[in-house]
Amino acid sequence: MRKIIFVTGNPHKVREAEEILSPLGINVEQNNCGYPELQEDELSPIAAFGAEWAANLLDNEVMVDDSGLFIEALGEFPGPYSAYVFDTLGNKRVLKLMEDEINRRAVFRCAIGYCRPGEKALVFPGDVEGEISKEMRGNAGFGYDPIFEVNGMTFGEMEDNEKNSLSHRYRALLKLAEWLKEGH
Ligand code: ITT
């Protein structure tokens, strides 16, 4: 069975990837070795650099996933700094920043970087538009899921298969899966 190493410290990401890639006969194996994260405004170069670095380190085909929440009223904050902001401020204080804000629009973006040793990385992006909720709702998922709403429901309130049928990560993984299905 073909094996793609998913370099991430986040097991939720791995579960979501397995659901999509295992029906294609691809075994997703998590590796927590980390990778240097470039400081960039966009996710794609971060994912590309990380994938190339990890493919050469592990001498295997790899994927990485760089994701971020881009809130329109906050000038696209926290964007590529989403992990840092989640760890330092957390959902409650992000909601506080949004307290008096009428424009609740936000985009969750995902960039999957894929690379084989010695080659250039490819990046598969996926986005989902939504809104920042007024309060935290739901216990499912992880990270910003309780405050990110699509069609009136937060990701935290959705069953796994519901989130996984419309999320940023699902859309990016689908593009990777389609490309792999072409025989690459
Ligand atoms: P790795 O870098 O090790 O893959 P990470 O969790 O740090 O794992 P990111 O650097 O991509 O992931 O950080 C993105 C932040 O956004 C982080 O706080 C995640 O918890 C959060 N996040 C990413 N995808 C999410 C999703 O589908 N739902 C909710 N929050 C998400």
Side-chain angles (χ1 to χ4, degrees):
M1 203 169 175
R2 182 170 177 182
K3 176 181 81 175
I4 299 182
I5 298 179
F6 192 169
V7 178
T8 176
N10 186 331
H12 300 277
K13 290 182 176 179
V14 180
R15 259 216 320 275
E16 292 181 10
E18 274 169 345
E19 264 187 40
I20 296 181
L21 298 179
S22 62
L24 298 180
I26 291 165
N27 177 20
V28 177
E29 182 184 297
Q30 182 178 7
N31 187 304
N32 204 352
C33 66
Y35 55 88
E37 290 204 20
L38 298 183
Q39 269 208 341
E40 295 274 352
D41 293 341
E42 291 181 18
L43 305 178
S44 289
I46 302 173
F49 182 85
E52 281 175 24
W53 187 90
N56 292 329
L57 178 78
L58 300 172
D59 199 26
N60 198 90
E61 57 181 339
V62 303
M63 57 188 280
V64 304
D65 165 324
D66 199 41
S67 301
L69 179 61
F70 294 72
I71 303 175
E72 192 173 283
L74 302 181
E76 310 289 282
F77 176 87
Y81 310 107
S82 292
Y84 179 72
V85 169
F86 185 79
D87 293 342
T88 52
L89 296 183
N91 283 330
K92 272 206 182 126
R93 275 186 277 181
V94 172
L95 286 183
K96 188 98 184 133
L97 287 174
M98 289 293 287
E99 208 166 45
D100 300 319
E101 199 49 66
I102 291 165
N103 174 8
R104 318 282 310 173
R105 277 201 298 268
V107 183
F108 231 130
R109 300 187 194 282
C110 172
I112 303 273
Y114 167 88
C115 193
R116 296 183 184 121
E119 295 184 11
K120 283 266 162 221
L122 290 170
V123 177
F124 301 89
D127 296 351
V128 57
E129 290 182 11
E131 300 200 330
I132 301 302
S133 58
K134 290 276 190 190
E135 66 287 307
M136 289 169 61
R137 298 199 318 268
N139 301 314
F142 65 100
Y144 296 100
D145 282 345
I147 66 165
F148 185 77
E149 211 174 87
V150 179
N151 300 327
M153 245 177 128
T154 68
F155 274 173
E157 292 175 306
M158 293 182 190
E159 301 284 340
D160 284 359
N161 61 351
E162 208 174 346
K163 176 187 172 188
N164 292 344
S165 67
L166 50 79
S167 78
H168 50 312
R169 179 161 305 102
Y170 169 72
R171 290 174 179 170
L173 285 167
L174 207 60
K175 287 183 196 152
L176 169 64
E178 275 162 11
W179 181 79
L180 291 169
K181 252 195 283 189
E182 289 166 10
H184 293 285

